[in-house]
Amino acid sequence: MPGMVLFGRRWAIASDDLVFPGAFELFFRVAWWIGILVLYLKQKGKLNCVGGALLNSYLIVLIILLAVIICVVSAVVYVSMKGTICNPGPRKSMPKLVYIRLALFLPEMVWASLGAAWIADSGVHCDKTVVNAIIATVIVSWIIIASTVVTVIIVFDPLGGKMSPYSTSSTDPLDTNDSSQLLNGLKTAARSVWETRIKLMCCCIGKDDHTRVAFSSTAELFSTYFSDTDLVPSDIAAGLTLLHQQQDKKRKDLEEVVSHSLVASQESDLDTELENCHHYVQFAAAAYGWPLYIYTNPFTGFCRIGGDCCRNRTAEYEFIGGDHLSCHFGSILKTTGLHYRDFIHISFHDKVFELPFLVALDHRKETIVVAVRGTMSLQDILTDLSAESESLNLECEVQDCFAHKGISQAAKYVYQRLISDGILSQAFSIAPEYRLVVVGHSLGAGAASLLAIMLKNSYPEVKCYAFSPPRGLLSKSLSEYSKSFIVSLVLGKDVIPRLSVTNLEDLKRRILRVIAHCNKPKYKILLHGCWYELFGGDPDNFPTELEGGNQVDLTQPLLGEQSLLIHGSPSYNVFDESPRESPTRYPYLYPPGRIIHLVEDDSSGRSYCCSTSRYNAKWATEAEFSKILIGPKMLTDHMPDILIRALDSVVSERATCISCPTQGDFNTNIV
């Protein structure tokens, strides 16, 4: 950090990122050099053959060339190890070394080409060992050259040429109109670049109006988020590593939340809602169809539903409205335990802002269940990333009704299908005494929550169970309104219920702060971080703060616009712990309903394959999810199969509990 400037443009790689690739190349080159040297010393007496003089010259020059490359790569690694992330001063000679290293590719390429030509010459009649060794060296040379080209493509930054002005030593580049225009031009270019990237990644999903809107919204989100920093990917990885260790070191001080004592009625309510969650989570999982079923049953899943993929069930499907069923129906039956006649509608129609869903009759609970599918496609990801807010026109006495735009649009689609197509009317005509329940997981949980809010006026007894819903979903007033009929369930350190644009901004600020205060070089941070993530350890063994928190030790700005840090811009101060105001486009949003949190008993363990984690259930407040927590389970805790296993364990333990915990156990909640 900042990104290196080479050939007059910025690249997505910093001068301290060359330790590991350089060390790998150095090891490879040294082994190669020793092998060639041994080969030459052993075989030089056998080069008296026809064409041997050429091969002898080839080996000698190759040995010398490799020795020079080894010296240059050693210098690159040595210099790259100097300094810290925000103190690249000791690495100021790195661009010159990189130029020298790149220049050495030219003679290496020429010599590899000549070697290939000489070996291909039918006039060379030498020992096969020598010939095969030279063939191997030629192949290896071209592999290294090709790898370098691929690396250059990966670290190429399309905005690098436009961002280079910020690397100059101008006294105050943002105090002039020209600089302001340059910054606006950079932001416009960034949006264009991100939109192009997204279109390329999602080139197979069509180009309707919804897709184009989603492309634009996603590009705006990414360009806004990354526009004010000069971070390279390895800086973010190092920052997350440091945050995890800092988080564990200060967990009791920073994340201890004191809640009110639970009265007996609330504890009883927790048991009831946990049992309901345990029941309805199967419908949320069923909405994913066969992919999740095969994933959770890798050895037997296909055998169980394979017959349903090929069997002609037209007569049975006449009772069910829907489309694109294929293998999904068999997995839905297996997951829910219902019969085909219990389903009113199953749709796997999937487009941007249009989610698959199913409607079924649950005779055990006497409910009509609407289950909305979570993220499973590129279209769903675009729906997730359309994160700006939009106002909702709801028939309820709630002020400031606005929500996540993409999820809101998806909920409106399902609402229109349920009402306009008469799906709910058909369901209630079959079971008029049943109650309505809406469920979903992840993106489906967010859509289900908004769908329940939309249906609340027409169906006052509607209930919603949202499993791992996104945090950035509802305005404060809507979140409070939803607590009477929506229950959210969150597992452990799941990142999605803590994920919102404002929380991402907070995470970026924390990353900038922790790497600015770190007095260790990046390669040590990453090595220690890998060990810590895999095997654990004492976070106190790795100090992450500069002694005395001396900000003067920083020799480079943290942001792309240098004067923001140097002159203390009021819009962004990395050392300020106070919350930042969100842009109007991305206001502060909250999770839906009341929240049940399944908290792991021992969060310090490192159990990945055969998890024996034990969880406790408790009511939580939204404040407990106001920061993104870093840890090895922040992603796995979001997986529906892991959530189901944890919920199974909690419900079974509470059901067989003879002497339940006293109320005092719930006074202090440690996340």
Side-chain angles (χ1 to χ4, degrees), residues 187 190-195 197-198 213-229 381-389 404-406 472 499-505 508 582-583 585-587 589:
K187 291 180 178 179
R191 283 194 295 269
S192 177
V193 167
W194 277 108
E195 189 162 354
R197 288 171 174 170
I198 295 165
V213 170
F215 284 160
S216 178
S217 298
T218 305
E220 176 71 25
L221 174 65
F222 281 120
S223 62
T224 300
Y225 187 73
F226 291 107
S227 64
D228 58 355
T229 60
I381 293 174
L382 288 174
T383 301
D384 282 316
L385 294 176
S386 299
E388 63 265 38
S389 298
H404 183 291
K405 177 182 176 180
L499 193 62
S500 66
V501 175
T502 49
N503 279 11
L504 282 173
E505 285 289 339
K508 179 172 67 176
S582 303
R585 190 181 183 91
Y586 304 106
L589 297 177

Side-chain angles (χ1 to χ4, degrees), residues 274-499:
L274 271 175
E275 196 280 328
N276 287 334
C277 288
H278 185 248
H279 176 77
Y280 289 114
V281 72
Q282 302 299 332
F283 289 89
Y288 282 99
W290 67 264
L292 179 61
Y293 187 80
I294 296 295
Y295 173 77
T296 54
N297 302 275
F299 301 109
T300 61
F302 184 77
C303 296
R304 292 178 180 178
I305 67 172
D308 294 313
C309 298
C310 306
R311 188 180 304 139
N312 184 6
R313 308 188 68 155
T314 305
E316 297 175 358
Y317 289 163
E318 289 177 357
F319 294 95
I320 305 167
D323 48 25
H324 304 290
L325 293 181
S326 61
C327 298
H328 294 300
F329 194 54
S331 67
I332 292 172
L333 293 177
K334 297 291 184 183
T335 303
T336 61
L338 302 181
H339 301 288
Y340 70 90
R341 297 179 186 274
D342 296 328
F343 290 89
I344 305 299
H345 189 92
I346 303 175
S347 171
F348 278 88
H349 169 80
D350 188 14
K351 294 180 67 177
V352 177
F353 303 153
E354 298 177 5
L355 298 178
F357 67 97
L358 62 86
V359 181
L361 301 177
D362 178 18
H363 301 298
R364 177 183 167 187
K365 292 283 188 178
E366 295 187 346
T367 56
I368 295 171
V369 181
V370 178
V372 187
R373 195 190 74 180
T375 303
M376 271 204 67
S377 66
L378 288 175
Q379 293 93 322
D380 300 336
I381 293 174
L382 288 174
T383 301
D384 282 316
L385 294 176
S386 299
E388 63 265 38
S389 298
E390 72 170 8
S391 298
L392 302 179
N393 185 18
L394 300 175
E395 297 179 1
C396 61
E397 296 181 359
V398 177
Q399 301 296 324
D400 299 326
C401 292
F402 55 88
H404 183 291
K405 177 182 176 180
I407 301 178
S408 172
Q409 291 291 324
K412 288 177 182 178
Y413 163 77
V414 179
Y415 178 84
Q416 291 296 327
R417 293 288 305 273
L418 293 176
I419 302 301
S420 300
D421 294 355
I423 297 173
L424 282 185
S425 299
Q426 179 186 354
F428 278 104
S429 67
I430 298 173
E433 72 282 5
Y434 281 17
R435 295 178 296 106
L436 179 62
V437 173
V438 188
V439 302
H441 173 265
S442 188
L443 169 62
S449 300
L450 279 166
L451 179 62
I453 293 174
M454 295 174 184
L455 292 169
K456 179 66 174 175
N457 190 57
S458 301
Y459 301 91
E461 295 185 357
V462 65
K463 288 275 291 184
C464 175
Y465 292 94
F467 303 97
S468 306
R471 174 181 175 84
L473 184 65
L474 304 174
S475 61
K476 180 66 173 178
S477 55
L478 272 182
S479 177
E480 292 295 329
Y481 171 72
S482 67
K483 289 182 178 180
S484 62
F485 58 97
I486 296 179
V487 173
S488 294
L489 183 75
V490 178
L491 175 63
K493 294 184 178 180
D494 186 354
V495 66
I496 300 301
R498 298 173 170 86
L499 193 62

Side-chain angles (χ1 to χ4, degrees), residues 647-658:
L647 188 55
D648 287 342
S649 173
V650 169
V651 171
S652 62
E653 285 187 11
R654 293 179 73 91
T656 58
C657 179
I658 299 176

